[in-house]
Amino acid sequence: MHHVTVIGDSRANPKALRKQLAGILDIDFAPIEQALRSDPGASIIFDVDLSNDTSLLNLKEWLKRKPANAKAIFLTDKASHLQHSRAYALGATDILHRPIDGRELLTKLWGDVASLSADPNNAAIRKSPAVSAAVNTLQSIFSSACLGGPLNSLSIKSAGEAIVGHVETQGLTAWIDTVRTHHSMTYQHCLLVTGLAVAFGQQIGVSRADRQRLSFAGMLHDIGKARIPLAILEKPGRLDEDEMAVMKKHPQFGFDALGTMPTLPAEMLDMVVHHHEYLDGSGYPHGLHASEISDLVRMITIADVFGALIERRCYKPPLSGSAAYQILLDMGPKLDKDLVRAFQPVANLGLHQS
Ligand SMILES: [Fe+2]
Ligand SMILES: [Fe+2]
């Protein structure tokens, strides 16, 4: 039987965990204070209270010392966004919901060769300052949005500028390759949409200031998802009608979260609250029509739809750039035809990505 060490604090319940893992994994339990005195190993599992800031103070620094391919898996409560974002902010490579399914834990720890090489502790992300700045910013804004706290517009702006510079100098393909190694689907989606929107702006020759607006909005557009229950957000399949009704609240939640940034220009709020509006009036939350939807919103919407299509989800493989682009074409009157045509070269870059 495989043997692992679980690092926990006073809130951990090694007895319950042993019971859940019986016959699959043999566990040793190490108190966090003691564990942090030695070096991190290759597979680390944490069962700690993620709301206790004091006890977690040293954990982030300690985790930075773990070997490049080490796994750091945090056990969290399924319904807690806050625990998820905190775990990733501390350096989690993965999370697992309580009660623990031993086989799922085994897969996450060792998995198959393909999944091990696809999730190498985000080495690619750590090597790219633009991506790691963007990831750090997303972690902090999603945490703040969960708590209803203020968002730091300066850090979002500087991360947004770094993305514009990265896409300008290294191209969209490199951006997508790196972003796809990120383990959080929500962050990966935001980063992908940001890169696509910036490349789109570059493609059609909008000003650098507008590309920065697109970058800023790309990162923030789904911030309202911080208030959508994870059971809905991460459901491995189609949402039912009631779940979809809840999901459709995320643009308004995003708008509300941005209310904590009083100096935010109106066009930013517009992009966040209206990124699911369609020109034919069939979108949400306000059912706007073409004349009410700005060009920047139209661009974010195209990048958002395309980004979601080329993403890998646990329930669907990523579409190729050409298949995803065909879906944009098939959406007909919902999207701006001229902009969709102008997006084709950007979509073609996606051809190499799947
Ligand atoms: Fe959205
Ligand atoms: Fe989105």
Side-chain angles (χ1 to χ4, degrees):
M1 204 188 314
H2 289 294
H3 185 96
V4 289
T5 300
V6 175
I7 296 175
D9 57 15
S10 56
R11 290 269 292 272
N13 188 342
K15 217 172 171 183
L17 203 56
R18 275 201 185 97
K19 209 168 161 192
Q20 286 158 28
L21 300 175
I24 298 172
L25 273 170
D26 192 16
I27 63 163
D28 259 349
F29 186 80
I32 187 162
E33 306 78 21
Q34 178 195 315
L36 297 196
R37 285 199 284 271
S38 50
D39 286 332
S43 299
I44 318 157
I45 298 167
F46 293 96
D47 189 4
V48 293
D49 177 5
L50 284 164
S51 62
N52 186 341
D53 289 336
T54 337
S55 85
L56 300 178
L57 223 53
N58 301 321
L59 188 51
K60 188 171 183 169
E61 288 307 310
W62 184 77
L63 272 174
K64 284 183 186 159
R65 290 172 20 219
K66 72 181 183 315
N69 288 330
K71 303 260 173 173
I73 299 173
F74 280 70
L75 310 185
T76 64
D77 295 322
K78 189 165 186 163
S80 174
H81 274 295
L82 189 58
Q83 290 182 18
H84 277 212
S85 53
R86 287 217 165 145
Y88 282 128
L90 287 169
T93 59
D94 217 329
I95 52 177
L96 197 59
H97 297 142
R98 301 184 184 95
I100 305 308
D101 177 330
R103 296 197 182 282
E104 205 184 338
L105 178 57
L106 260 188
T107 311
K108 284 184 188 288
L109 279 171
W110 293 288
D112 51 37
V113 177
S115 74
L116 282 178
S117 61
D119 184 22
N121 189 30
N122 296 320
I125 285 177
R126 282 187 290 106
K127 277 187 216 141
S128 165
V131 185
S132 61
V135 169
N136 284 337
T137 301
L138 282 169
Q139 282 165 344
S140 92
I141 60 177
F142 271 82
S143 295
S144 298
C146 287
L147 295 166
L151 305 182
N152 182 341
S153 63
L154 269 183
S155 79
I156 303 169
K157 202 165 169 241
S158 68
E161 278 165 12
I163 297 174
V164 172
H166 189 287
V167 173
E168 257 174 15
T169 54
Q170 304 188 36
L172 178 64
T173 306
W175 177 259
I176 292 178
D177 280 347
T178 309
V179 161
R180 275 188 160 162
T181 66
H182 199 267
H183 41 62
S184 157
M185 291 315 299
T186 305
Y187 298 160
Q188 188 184 118
H189 171 73
C190 295
L191 296 168
L192 204 51
V193 171
T194 306
L196 287 164
V198 167
F200 190 11
Q202 201 172 315
Q203 171 66 28
I204 64 172
V206 303
S207 66
R208 200 163 203 275
D210 270 346
R211 272 181 275 147
Q212 275 163 6
R213 287 188 182 98
L214 287 165
S215 182
F216 196 96
M219 285 203 290
L220 289 174
H221 78 282
D222 273 338
I223 183 79
K225 285 186 177 171
R227 286 184 53 195
I228 302 294
L230 287 169
I232 294 179
L233 208 54
E234 295 183 354
K235 184 177 174 181
R238 269 188 188 285
L239 299 182
D240 67 28
E241 215 173 291
D242 292 342
E243 292 163 338
M244 188 50 95
V246 174
M247 184 61 125
K248 283 184 171 181
K249 291 181 179 173
H250 79 270
Q252 185 62 46
F253 287 160
F255 182 87
D256 298 343
L258 296 183
T260 60
M261 289 197 274
T263 53
L264 200 65
E267 71 268 16
M268 297 295 182
L269 293 170
D270 188 30
M271 282 191 268
V272 171
V273 76
H274 292 141
H275 70 275
H276 285 287
E277 298 288 357
Y278 292 136
L279 305 193
D280 63 359
S282 63
Y284 62 90
H286 298 132
L288 299 185
H289 284 83
S291 62
E292 301 163 295
I293 303 176
S294 73
D295 284 346
L296 287 178
V297 171
R298 295 174 190 210
M299 291 174 74
I300 281 284
T301 303
I302 290 170
D304 184 33
V305 173
F306 187 82
L309 292 168
I310 65 168
E311 276 162 39
R312 186 183 320 265
R313 296 276 166 91
C314 50
Y315 55 90
K316 74 158 185 76
L319 289 185
S320 68
S322 57
Y325 185 70
Q326 186 56 49
I327 290 178
L328 292 186
L329 291 174
D330 294 345
M331 288 174 75
K334 291 179 187 297
L335 302 175
D336 184 311
K337 273 196 172 50
D338 293 337
L339 283 176
V340 169
R341 203 172 303 127
F343 186 73
Q344 187 163 22
V346 181
N348 283 341
L349 289 171
L351 284 172
H352 313 292
Q353 308 306 316
S354 57

